[in-house]
Coordinates of all heavy atoms in Angstrom, one line a residue:
G107 N -5.3 28.2 10.4 CA -4.7 29.5 10.8 C -3.5 29.2 11.6 O -2.6 28.4 11.2
Q108 N -3.3 30.0 12.7 CA -2.1 29.8 13.5 C -2.3 28.9 14.7 O -1.5 28.8 15.6 CB -1.7 31.2 14.0 CG -1.4 32.2 12.9 CD -0.2 31.6 12.0 OE1 0.8 31.2 12.5 NE2 -0.5 31.7 10.7
S109 N -3.5 28.2 14.7 CA -3.8 27.3 15.8 C -2.9 26.1 15.8 O -2.4 25.7 14.8 CB -5.2 26.9 15.8 OG -6.1 28.0 15.8
E110 N -2.6 25.6 17.0 CA -1.8 24.4 17.1 C -2.5 23.2 16.5 O -1.8 22.3 15.9 CB -1.5 24.1 18.6 CG -0.5 25.1 19.2 CD 0.9 24.9 18.6 OE1 1.3 23.8 18.3 OE2 1.6 25.9 18.4
Q111 N -3.8 23.1 16.7 CA -4.6 22.0 16.2 C -5.6 22.4 15.1 O -6.1 23.5 15.2 CB -5.3 21.3 17.3 CG -4.4 20.7 18.4 CD -3.6 19.5 17.8 OE1 -4.1 18.8 17.0 NE2 -2.4 19.3 18.4
P112 N -5.8 21.6 14.1 CA -6.8 22.0 13.1 C -8.2 21.9 13.7 O -8.4 21.2 14.6 CB -6.6 21.0 12.0 CG -6.1 19.8 12.7 CD -5.2 20.3 13.8
P113 N -9.1 22.7 13.1 CA -10.5 22.5 13.6 C -11.1 21.1 13.2 O -10.6 20.4 12.4 CB -11.3 23.6 12.8 CG -10.4 23.9 11.6 CD -9.0 23.7 12.0
A114 N -12.1 20.7 14.0 CA -12.6 19.4 13.9 C -13.1 19.1 12.4 O -12.9 18.0 11.9 CB -13.8 19.2 14.9
E115 N -13.7 20.1 11.8 CA -14.1 19.9 10.4 C -13.0 19.6 9.5 O -13.1 18.8 8.6 CB -14.9 21.2 10.0 CG -15.5 21.1 8.6 CD -16.2 22.3 8.2 OE1 -16.4 23.2 9.0 OE2 -16.6 22.4 7.0
A116 N -11.9 20.3 9.6 CA -10.7 20.1 8.8 C -10.1 18.7 9.0 O -9.7 18.0 8.1 CB -9.7 21.2 9.0
A117 N -10.0 18.3 10.3 CA -9.5 16.9 10.6 C -10.4 15.9 10.0 O -9.9 14.8 9.5 CB -9.4 16.8 12.1
Q118 N -11.7 16.1 10.0 CA -12.6 15.1 9.5 C -12.5 15.1 7.9 O -12.5 14.0 7.3 CB -14.1 15.5 9.8 CG -15.1 14.5 9.4 CD -15.0 13.1 10.1 OE1 -14.2 13.0 11.0 NE2 -15.9 12.2 9.8
Q119 N -12.3 16.2 7.3 CA -12.1 16.2 5.9 C -10.8 15.5 5.5 O -10.8 14.8 4.5 CB -12.2 17.7 5.3 CG -11.9 17.7 3.8 CD -12.7 18.8 3.1 OE1 -13.8 19.2 3.6 NE2 -12.2 19.3 2.0
L120 N -9.8 15.7 6.3 CA -8.5 15.0 6.1 C -8.7 13.5 6.1 O -8.1 12.8 5.3 CB -7.5 15.4 7.1 CG -6.2 14.7 7.1 CD1 -5.4 15.0 5.8 CD2 -5.3 15.0 8.3
R121 N -9.6 13.1 7.0 CA -9.9 11.6 7.1 C -10.3 11.1 5.8 O -9.9 10.0 5.3 CB -10.9 11.4 8.2 CG -11.4 10.0 8.3 CD -12.4 9.9 9.4 NE -12.9 8.5 9.5 CZ -12.4 7.5 10.2 NH1 -11.2 7.8 10.8 NH2 -12.9 6.3 10.3
W122 N -11.3 11.8 5.1 CA -11.8 11.3 3.9 C -10.9 11.5 2.7 O -10.8 10.6 1.8 CB -13.2 12.0 3.6 CG -14.1 11.9 4.7 CD1 -14.8 13.0 5.3 CD2 -14.6 10.7 5.4 NE1 -15.6 12.5 6.3 CE2 -15.5 11.2 6.4 CE3 -14.3 9.4 5.3 CZ2 -16.1 10.3 7.3 CZ3 -14.9 8.5 6.2 CH2 -15.8 8.9 7.1
I123 N -10.1 12.6 2.7 CA -9.1 12.8 1.7 C -8.0 11.8 1.7 O -7.5 11.3 0.7 CB -8.6 14.3 1.7 CG1 -9.8 15.2 1.2 CG2 -7.4 14.5 0.9 CD1 -9.5 16.6 1.2
A124 N -7.6 11.4 3.0 CA -6.5 10.4 3.1 C -7.0 9.1 2.6 O -6.3 8.3 1.9 CB -6.1 10.3 4.6

Side-chain angles (χ1 to χ4, degrees):
Q108 299 304 312
S109 301
E110 287 293 321
Q111 297 293 327
E115 183 180 351
Q118 186 69 359
Q119 178 144 329
L120 174 65
R121 175 181 176 83
W122 307 127
I123 287 178

